[in-house]
Protein backbone atom coordinates (compact mmCIF):
# COMPACT_ATOMS: atom_id res chain seq x y z
CA UNK A 1 0.00 0.00 0.00
CA UNK A 2 2.82 2.39 0.91
CA UNK A 3 4.47 1.84 -2.50
CA UNK A 4 1.19 2.54 -4.26
CA UNK A 5 0.69 5.75 -2.24
CA UNK A 6 4.26 6.90 -3.00
CA UNK A 7 3.82 6.28 -6.72
CA UNK A 8 0.48 8.11 -6.62
CA UNK A 9 2.04 11.15 -4.91
CA UNK A 10 4.92 11.11 -7.42
CA UNK A 11 2.49 11.02 -10.36
CA UNK A 12 0.53 13.88 -8.79
CA UNK A 13 3.70 15.98 -8.52
CA UNK A 14 4.56 15.21 -12.14
CA UNK A 15 1.04 16.22 -13.18
CA UNK A 16 1.32 19.49 -11.26
CA UNK A 17 4.72 20.18 -12.79
CA UNK A 18 3.41 19.45 -16.28
CA UNK A 19 0.40 21.71 -15.77
CA UNK A 20 2.62 24.53 -14.51
CA UNK A 21 4.96 24.13 -17.49
CA UNK A 22 2.03 24.25 -19.92
CA UNK A 23 0.67 27.39 -18.25
CA UNK A 24 4.08 29.06 -18.39
CA UNK A 25 4.47 28.17 -22.07
CA UNK A 26 1.01 29.55 -22.87
CA UNK A 27 1.77 32.76 -20.97
CA UNK A 28 5.06 33.12 -22.85
CA UNK A 29 3.29 32.67 -26.21
CA UNK A 30 0.65 35.26 -25.32
CA UNK A 31 3.30 37.72 -24.12
CA UNK A 32 5.37 37.18 -27.26
CA UNK A 33 2.31 37.85 -29.41
CA UNK A 34 1.54 41.03 -27.44
CA UNK A 35 5.12 42.27 -27.81
CA UNK A 36 5.14 41.49 -31.53
CA UNK A 37 1.84 43.29 -32.07
CA UNK A 38 3.04 46.29 -30.08
CA UNK A 39 6.18 46.45 -32.24
CA UNK A 40 4.11 46.31 -35.44
CA UNK A 41 1.74 49.00 -34.18
CA UNK A 42 4.77 51.13 -33.31
CA UNK A 43 6.07 50.78 -36.89
CA UNK A 44 2.74 52.03 -38.21
CA UNK A 45 2.88 54.92 -35.76
CA UNK A 46 6.32 55.96 -37.02
CA UNK A 47 4.96 57.10 -40.38
CA UNK A 48 5.29 60.86 -41.01
CA UNK A 49 1.85 61.30 -42.57
CA UNK A 50 2.14 64.97 -43.54
CA UNK A 51 5.16 64.09 -45.70
CA UNK A 52 2.79 62.40 -48.18
CA UNK A 53 0.69 65.54 -48.70
CA UNK A 54 0.62 68.12 -51.53
CA UNK A 55 2.79 70.73 -49.77
CA UNK A 56 5.50 68.14 -49.06
CA UNK A 57 5.31 67.08 -52.72
CA UNK A 58 6.11 70.64 -53.81
CA UNK A 59 9.07 70.79 -51.42
CA UNK A 60 10.27 67.36 -52.59
CA UNK A 61 10.08 68.21 -56.30
CA UNK A 62 11.84 71.53 -55.74
CA UNK A 63 14.62 69.93 -53.68
CA UNK A 64 15.01 67.18 -56.25
CA UNK A 65 15.26 69.58 -59.17
CA UNK A 66 17.52 72.18 -57.53
CA UNK A 67 19.66 70.06 -55.19
CA UNK A 68 19.55 66.28 -55.67
CA UNK A 69 19.53 66.16 -59.47
CA UNK A 70 22.52 68.55 -59.90
CA UNK A 71 24.42 66.71 -57.14
CA UNK A 72 23.88 63.31 -58.75
CA UNK A 73 24.71 64.72 -62.19
CA UNK A 74 28.05 65.96 -60.86
CA UNK A 75 29.09 62.41 -59.97
CA UNK A 76 27.05 60.21 -62.31
CA UNK A 77 25.56 60.11 -65.77
CA UNK A 78 22.25 58.36 -66.16
CA UNK A 79 20.85 55.99 -68.76
CA UNK A 80 17.17 55.02 -68.44
CA UNK A 81 15.67 52.18 -70.46
CA UNK A 82 12.15 50.77 -70.60
CA UNK A 83 10.02 53.82 -69.72
CA UNK A 84 7.66 52.69 -72.49
CA UNK A 85 6.61 49.86 -70.15
CA UNK A 86 4.82 52.46 -68.00
CA UNK A 87 2.61 53.75 -70.81
CA UNK A 88 -1.07 53.10 -70.29
CA UNK A 89 -0.63 51.95 -66.69
CA UNK A 90 -2.63 53.30 -63.79
CA UNK A 91 -1.81 53.20 -60.08
CA UNK A 92 -1.24 51.75 -57.71
CA UNK A 93 1.93 50.05 -58.93
CA UNK A 94 4.41 48.14 -56.79
CA UNK A 95 7.87 48.98 -58.14
CA UNK A 96 10.47 46.43 -57.03
CA UNK A 97 14.18 47.11 -57.43
CA UNK A 98 17.50 45.56 -56.54
CA UNK A 99 19.42 47.39 -53.83
CA UNK A 100 23.15 48.14 -53.63
CA UNK A 101 23.42 51.76 -52.47
CA UNK A 102 21.65 54.58 -50.64
CA UNK A 103 21.74 56.30 -54.01
CA UNK A 104 19.28 53.78 -55.48
CA UNK A 105 16.19 55.57 -54.15
CA UNK A 106 16.87 59.09 -55.49
CA UNK A 107 18.23 57.70 -58.77
CA UNK A 108 15.11 55.60 -59.40
CA UNK A 109 12.74 58.37 -58.36
CA UNK A 110 14.42 60.86 -60.72
CA UNK A 111 14.22 58.28 -63.53
CA UNK A 112 10.45 57.83 -63.15
CA UNK A 113 8.15 60.16 -65.08
CA UNK A 114 6.88 62.97 -62.85
CA UNK A 115 3.31 61.67 -62.65
CA UNK A 116 4.62 58.41 -61.18
CA UNK A 117 7.31 59.96 -59.01
CA UNK A 118 4.98 62.35 -57.18
CA UNK A 119 2.59 59.51 -56.25
CA UNK A 120 5.19 56.91 -55.23
CA UNK A 121 6.09 56.19 -51.61
CA UNK A 122 9.32 54.38 -50.76
CA UNK A 123 9.51 51.56 -48.20
CA UNK A 124 12.36 52.31 -45.77
CA UNK A 125 13.65 50.11 -42.94
CA UNK A 126 12.09 51.28 -39.68
CA UNK A 127 15.02 50.02 -37.63
CA UNK A 128 17.51 52.02 -39.74
CA UNK A 129 15.83 55.25 -40.90
CA UNK A 130 13.22 55.77 -38.16
CA UNK A 131 15.31 55.37 -35.01
CA UNK A 132 15.87 59.14 -34.79
CA UNK A 133 13.06 61.61 -35.41
CA UNK A 134 15.19 64.10 -37.35
CA UNK A 135 16.38 61.39 -39.78
CA UNK A 136 12.83 60.04 -40.17
CA UNK A 137 11.49 63.51 -41.01
CA UNK A 138 14.33 64.20 -43.46
CA UNK A 139 13.99 60.97 -45.47
CA UNK A 140 10.19 61.17 -45.40
CA UNK A 141 10.23 64.71 -46.75
CA UNK A 142 12.98 64.22 -49.34
CA UNK A 143 12.05 60.75 -50.61
CA UNK A 144 8.42 60.20 -49.51
CA UNK A 145 9.41 57.20 -47.39
CA UNK A 146 7.20 54.99 -45.24
CA UNK A 147 8.54 52.75 -42.45
CA UNK A 148 8.50 49.02 -43.00
CA UNK A 149 9.41 46.20 -40.62
CA UNK A 150 11.97 44.23 -42.59
CA UNK A 151 12.74 41.49 -40.02
CA UNK A 152 9.25 40.25 -39.16
CA UNK A 153 8.42 38.59 -42.49
CA UNK A 154 4.82 39.69 -42.05
CA UNK A 155 4.33 42.03 -44.99
CA UNK A 156 0.52 41.86 -44.80
CA UNK A 157 0.15 42.21 -41.01
CA UNK A 158 -1.06 45.26 -39.12
CA UNK A 159 2.48 46.58 -39.45
CA UNK A 160 1.44 47.46 -43.03
CA UNK A 161 -1.76 49.40 -42.31
CA UNK A 162 -0.18 52.79 -43.10
CA UNK A 163 1.10 51.44 -46.43
CA UNK A 164 -2.26 49.80 -47.14
CA UNK A 165 -3.99 53.18 -46.70
CA UNK A 166 -1.63 54.91 -49.13
CA UNK A 167 -2.05 52.19 -51.78
CA UNK A 168 -5.82 52.33 -51.40
CA UNK A 169 -5.62 56.07 -52.18
CA UNK A 170 -3.89 55.29 -55.47
CA UNK A 171 -0.26 55.82 -54.42
CA UNK A 172 2.39 53.48 -55.77
CA UNK A 173 5.11 51.80 -53.70
CA UNK A 174 8.85 51.39 -54.34
CA UNK A 175 10.14 48.34 -52.49
CA UNK A 176 13.56 46.67 -52.26
CA UNK A 177 12.77 42.96 -51.81
CA UNK A 178 16.33 42.05 -50.79
CA UNK A 179 15.63 43.92 -47.54
CA UNK A 180 19.08 45.52 -47.39
CA UNK A 181 21.89 46.77 -49.61
CA UNK A 182 23.79 43.98 -51.27
CA UNK A 183 27.53 44.13 -50.60
CA UNK A 184 28.67 41.81 -53.40
CA UNK A 185 27.37 43.54 -56.52
CA UNK A 186 25.07 40.61 -57.32
CA UNK A 187 21.36 40.42 -56.51
CA UNK A 188 20.60 38.72 -53.19
CA UNK A 189 17.71 36.50 -52.14
CA UNK A 190 14.34 38.19 -52.68
CA UNK A 191 11.58 38.13 -50.08
CA UNK A 192 7.97 37.40 -50.99
CA UNK A 193 6.49 40.57 -49.49
CA UNK A 194 6.26 42.59 -52.73
CA UNK A 195 4.24 39.88 -54.52
CA UNK A 196 1.92 39.51 -51.52
CA UNK A 197 1.33 43.25 -51.18
CA UNK A 198 0.66 43.63 -54.91
CA UNK A 199 -1.77 40.68 -54.89
CA UNK A 200 -3.62 42.01 -51.85
CA UNK A 201 -4.18 45.39 -53.53
CA UNK A 202 -4.72 44.18 -57.09
CA UNK A 203 -1.63 46.12 -58.17
CA UNK A 204 0.76 45.35 -60.98
CA UNK A 205 4.44 44.79 -60.21
CA UNK A 206 6.98 46.71 -62.28
CA UNK A 207 10.55 45.42 -61.77
CA UNK A 208 13.44 47.89 -61.98
CA UNK A 209 17.10 46.93 -62.25
CA UNK A 210 19.69 49.57 -61.33
CA UNK A 211 23.44 49.31 -61.93
CA UNK A 212 26.27 51.72 -61.12
CA UNK A 213 25.12 53.31 -57.88
CA UNK A 214 27.27 50.99 -55.77
CA UNK A 215 30.41 52.29 -57.48
CA UNK A 216 29.36 55.90 -56.85
CA UNK A 217 28.17 55.43 -53.26
CA UNK A 218 29.07 51.99 -51.84
CA UNK A 219 27.83 50.76 -48.45
CA UNK A 220 29.86 52.33 -45.66
CA UNK A 221 30.61 55.52 -47.59
CA UNK A 222 28.80 58.77 -46.69
CA UNK A 223 29.42 60.82 -49.81
CA UNK A 224 29.46 60.29 -53.57
CA UNK A 225 32.74 59.68 -55.36
CA UNK A 226 33.92 59.85 -58.96
CA UNK A 227 35.78 57.10 -60.73
CA UNK A 228 39.37 57.78 -61.70
CA UNK A 229 41.23 56.81 -64.83
CA UNK A 230 44.73 57.90 -63.98
CA UNK A 231 44.42 61.47 -62.72
CA UNK A 232 41.24 62.12 -64.69
CA UNK A 233 38.09 61.91 -62.50
CA UNK A 234 35.03 60.77 -64.44
CA UNK A 235 31.38 60.32 -63.68
CA UNK A 236 29.97 56.84 -63.00
CA UNK A 237 27.41 55.49 -65.44
CA UNK A 238 24.14 54.59 -63.70
CA UNK A 239 21.81 52.43 -65.78
CA UNK A 240 18.16 52.03 -64.79
CA UNK A 241 16.13 49.36 -66.62
CA UNK A 242 12.35 49.37 -66.18
CA UNK A 243 10.78 46.00 -66.95
CA UNK A 244 7.39 44.96 -68.27
CA UNK A 245 4.60 44.79 -65.66
CA UNK A 246 3.84 41.51 -63.89
CA UNK A 247 0.29 40.72 -62.76
CA UNK A 248 0.28 38.85 -59.42
CA UNK A 249 -3.47 39.19 -58.70
CA UNK A 250 -5.02 36.19 -56.97
CA UNK A 251 -1.72 34.54 -56.14
CA UNK A 252 -1.49 32.51 -52.95
CA UNK A 253 1.74 31.87 -51.02
CA UNK A 254 3.02 29.45 -53.67
CA UNK A 255 2.06 31.92 -56.40
CA UNK A 256 3.96 34.68 -54.62
CA UNK A 257 7.07 32.53 -54.80
CA UNK A 258 6.56 32.05 -58.56
CA UNK A 259 6.09 35.80 -59.09
CA UNK A 260 9.18 36.55 -57.01
CA UNK A 261 11.16 34.09 -59.13
CA UNK A 262 10.04 36.00 -62.26
CA UNK A 263 11.34 39.21 -60.68
CA UNK A 264 14.65 37.52 -59.86
CA UNK A 265 14.97 36.32 -63.47
CA UNK A 266 14.35 39.84 -64.75
CA UNK A 267 17.06 41.19 -62.45
CA UNK A 268 19.56 38.61 -63.66
CA UNK A 269 18.73 39.10 -67.36
CA UNK A 270 18.88 42.90 -67.05
CA UNK A 271 22.18 42.64 -65.17
CA UNK A 272 23.72 40.55 -67.95
CA UNK A 273 22.45 42.92 -70.68
CA UNK A 274 23.77 45.99 -68.87
CA UNK A 275 27.20 44.49 -68.30
CA UNK A 276 27.45 43.25 -71.87
CA UNK A 277 26.54 46.70 -73.20
CA UNK A 278 29.10 48.33 -70.92
CA UNK A 279 31.75 45.92 -72.10
CA UNK A 280 30.93 46.75 -75.71
CA UNK A 281 30.98 50.52 -75.19
Amino acid sequence: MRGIKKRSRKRSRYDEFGQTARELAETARERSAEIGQAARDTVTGLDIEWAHGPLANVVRETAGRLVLAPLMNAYTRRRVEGTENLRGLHGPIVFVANHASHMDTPAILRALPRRWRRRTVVAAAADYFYRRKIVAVAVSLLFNTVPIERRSGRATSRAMTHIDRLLERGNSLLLFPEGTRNRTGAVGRLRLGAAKIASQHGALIVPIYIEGTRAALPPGRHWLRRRHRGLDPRRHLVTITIGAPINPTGQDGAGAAVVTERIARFFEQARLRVRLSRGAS
Side-chain angles (χ1 to χ4, degrees), residues 5-274:
K5 287 181 179 179
K6 283 183 179 179
R7 285 194 296 272
S8 179
R9 284 197 297 270
K10 187 178 291 186
R11 279 197 301 270
S12 178
R13 285 196 296 270
Y14 285 150
D15 290 343
E16 290 175 2
F17 177 81
Q19 180 63 29
T20 301
R22 285 191 292 272
E23 290 174 356
L24 287 172
E26 182 62 28
T27 301
R29 281 194 296 269
E30 292 174 356
R31 182 58 181 156
S32 177
E34 290 171 3
I35 292 172
Q37 188 61 64
R40 290 188 289 277
D41 290 343
T42 300
V43 170
T44 297
L46 290 173
D47 188 32
I48 312 295
E49 293 188 19
W50 58 262
H52 313 309
L55 180 58
N57 264 328
V58 172
V59 173
R60 193 158 35 247
E61 282 294 314
T62 303
R65 186 173 64 256
L66 299 181
V67 180
L68 290 176
L71 178 62
M72 290 191 294
N73 290 341
Y75 290 89
T76 64
R77 51 195 177 92
R78 187 180 68 194
R79 178 188 296 162
V80 182
E81 303 171 348
T83 52
E84 67 276 6
N85 288 316
L86 298 175
R87 292 175 192 156
L89 300 184
H90 302 280
I93 296 289
V94 176
F95 295 104
V96 293
N98 61 303
H99 199 20
S101 168
H102 282 320
M103 191 184 171
D104 293 338
T105 293
I108 290 171
L109 290 176
R110 299 313 300 176
L112 291 176
R114 185 174 182 273
R115 81 177 188 91
W116 288 107
R117 180 172 64 246
R118 63 189 297 273
R119 294 299 303 275
T120 296
V121 298
V122 181
D127 60 296
Y128 190 95
F129 291 103
Y130 285 81
R131 288 183 298 178
R132 297 174 59 198
K133 186 72 172 180
I134 189 171
V135 175
V137 170
V139 296
S140 298
L141 181 59
L142 288 175
F143 306 120
N144 205 13
T145 61
V146 289
I148 191 168
E149 188 181 7
R150 58 179 173 177
R151 291 194 177 95
S152 69
R154 299 183 180 183
T156 56
S157 72
R158 285 180 60 187
M160 294 289 297
T161 54
H162 57 303
I163 296 176
D164 292 337
R165 285 195 299 267
L166 289 165
L167 289 171
E168 287 162 5
R169 294 172 192 163
N171 292 281
S172 294
L173 174 68
L174 171 58
L175 191 64
F176 298 102
E178 291 168 276
T180 188
R181 290 167 293 165
N182 192 289
R183 263 68 173 174
T184 66
V187 178
R189 183 180 66 85
L190 307 184
R191 305 182 186 187
L192 304 181
K196 292 179 179 179
I197 293 169
S199 178
Q200 180 183 355
H201 290 275
L204 294 174
I205 291 175
V206 172
I208 298 176
Y209 179 76
I210 184 166
E211 173 98 10
T213 51
R214 180 172 174 268
L217 185 64
R221 189 176 176 89
H222 302 293
W223 193 253
L224 295 163
R225 67 182 181 186
R226 288 192 176 210
R227 67 186 182 93
H228 288 265
R229 179 171 293 178
L231 298 177
D232 181 21
R234 300 191 178 192
R235 295 183 299 165
H236 294 277
L237 174 61
V238 172
T239 304
I240 299 161
T241 306
I242 301 172
I246 299 170
N247 188 348
T249 303
Q251 303 290 347
D252 55 14
V258 172
V259 170
T260 302
E261 178 58 31
R262 288 181 61 187
I263 297 169
R265 283 201 303 271
F266 167 80
F267 285 163
E268 184 58 29
Q269 291 166 2
R271 177 172 174 265
L272 290 174
R273 283 197 303 271
V274 168

